[in-house]
Amino acid sequence: MALLDPVLLKSRLGLLAGRFDVDALDECDSTNSELMRRAESGAPSGTVIVADRQTAGRGRRGRSWLSAPESSLTFSLLWRFSGPLARLSGLSLAVGVGLASGLESLGAQGVWLKWPNDVLLRDGEGYAKLAGILIELSSDRRGTQAIIGIGLNLSPPTGDLPQPAAGLSQVLSAVPERYVVLAAILQELHRVLETFAVDGFFGLKTEWQQRHAWQGDSVQILGEDAAPLVGRCLGADDDGALLLETASGIERIFSGDVSVRPAGNTLGVHPA
Ligand code: ATP
């Protein structure tokens, strides 16, 4: 039996129980891939797949996401929006706000966000990655569908990673049972997704900016094919673009195919 009990989760969700349809699996390739297949067969908005083990967990740009049954919470949520794909710019930032505030509702403090898709904890002078978000979008004449994948470390991962990683156990004296953690996150995701559907990222920008790890700091934007772009990070624009003050003016960074690092740090950009 899977580690998470959907019946306990439903009771914890209270009034929102009817908005989510949760299936807990022992194992799958990736919760995003499994949910995508179910979405193609007509699964409703609010479907959640949570898996103890992923055999092919994915990050951005073909990278892999490490997870282990005892120390991770990995799940994907299907959410459908009316309107075209272009209306969903900034969605990964909005999801970051929901994830961070869900963890804060459990008592976690010092949760920070990194553009465009990571949740961080403070780690000495820098930050360590607590959770990653992978959103896959598709649209047709009925609207746009988002597969929102989240990998959260309940305790720090033991694998060899190019960047520091953190776990929820570092900021909570006792990590609650995983159905409690997932319920807290789903409640906050519901809130931010409803706001996003009406106001777009603009409705969540202040909340994102308050948790932005490098607000006002000097950063570099690293792309795979271009020289690093260095500047002062001004935060996110109304549509979720990253604003960078450079010597030649303010640049708006849209592409998710770049990595933001504090100036002077190039770790983890091109994993071997
Ligand atoms: P960047 O820092 O370049 O923006 P990213 O944060 O967008 O990258 P993702 O593609 O979202 O990276 O996540 C995959 C990367 O996350 C992997 O390349 C690895 O470095 C790191 N990673 C994988 N599993 C974990 C984990 N359980 N905890 C923390 N980091 C992980």
Side-chain angles (χ1 to χ4, degrees):
M1 204 173 87
L3 289 167
L4 186 142
D5 183 345
V7 176
L8 291 176
L9 175 69
K10 281 267 179 187
S11 65
R12 186 85 189 179
L13 283 169
L15 292 175
L16 289 180
R19 295 301 304 269
F20 297 101
D21 188 354
V22 182
D23 194 5
L25 308 176
D26 296 330
E27 182 176 298
C28 65
D29 49 355
S30 114
T31 55
N32 265 29
S33 304
E34 174 64 24
L35 187 54
M36 207 172 290
R37 290 188 287 269
R38 295 194 189 193
E40 276 160 18
S41 326
S45 187
T47 300
V48 177
I49 301 286
V50 53
D52 294 348
R53 186 178 293 102
Q54 295 188 111
T55 53
R58 294 186 279 120
R60 296 192 301 152
R61 292 171 274 167
R63 294 174 178 185
S64 54
W65 183 261
L66 296 186
S67 60
E70 302 302 331
S71 57
S72 320
L73 178 64
T74 44
F75 69 95
S76 297
L77 165 66
L78 170 63
W79 209 259
R80 293 205 168 90
F81 297 88
S82 57
L85 204 98
R87 281 190 52 191
L88 299 197
S89 72
L91 180 60
S92 68
L93 283 70
V95 168
V97 169
L99 181 49
S101 54
L103 299 177
E104 286 158 3
S105 75
L106 295 169
Q109 288 181 353
V111 179
W112 297 91
L113 296 172
K114 176 184 150 200
W115 189 93
N117 69 327
D118 286 339
V119 179
L120 311 173
L121 290 184
R122 192 95 219 173
D123 178 33
E125 294 292 293
Y127 293 91
K129 198 191 292 196
L130 174 66
I133 297 165
L134 177 68
I135 298 187
E136 296 178 290
L137 301 172
S138 57
S139 64
D140 61 22
R141 60 193 161 71
R142 290 167 299 174
T144 305
Q145 128 186 330
I147 306 274
I148 300 167
I150 292 180
L152 167 68
N153 301 323
L154 299 177
S155 48
T158 49
D160 193 15
L161 291 167
Q163 296 175 71
L168 195 55
S169 57
Q170 291 169 278
V171 281
L172 290 179
S173 50
V175 176
E177 285 205 44
R178 62 192 61 223
Y179 78 88
V180 175
V181 177
L182 183 53
I185 295 170
L186 290 179
Q187 274 159 342
E188 283 302 298
L189 284 179
H190 181 269
R191 175 182 72 83
V192 300
L193 292 170
E194 296 270 285
T195 302
F196 187 90
V198 178
D199 299 325
F201 175 67
F202 175 70
L204 297 151
K205 184 173 120 172
T206 305
E207 285 187 66
W208 189 84
Q209 219 115 274
Q210 282 163 351
R211 298 179 177 91
H212 178 209
W214 290 298
Q215 187 70 24
D217 291 351
S218 192
V219 299
Q220 51 183 331
I221 310 292
L222 304 163
E224 300 205 343
D225 302 318
L229 192 58
V230 178
R232 194 165 76 90
C233 190
L234 304 179
D237 212 345
D238 292 352
D239 59 359
L242 189 73
L243 293 173
L244 190 72
E245 185 181 48
T246 69
S248 52
I250 293 179
E251 300 262 357
R252 276 165 49 83
I253 316 286
F254 297 98
S255 164
D257 283 351
V258 298
S259 299
V260 182
R261 296 282 183 277
N265 173 351
T266 55
L267 270 181
V269 180
H270 304 295

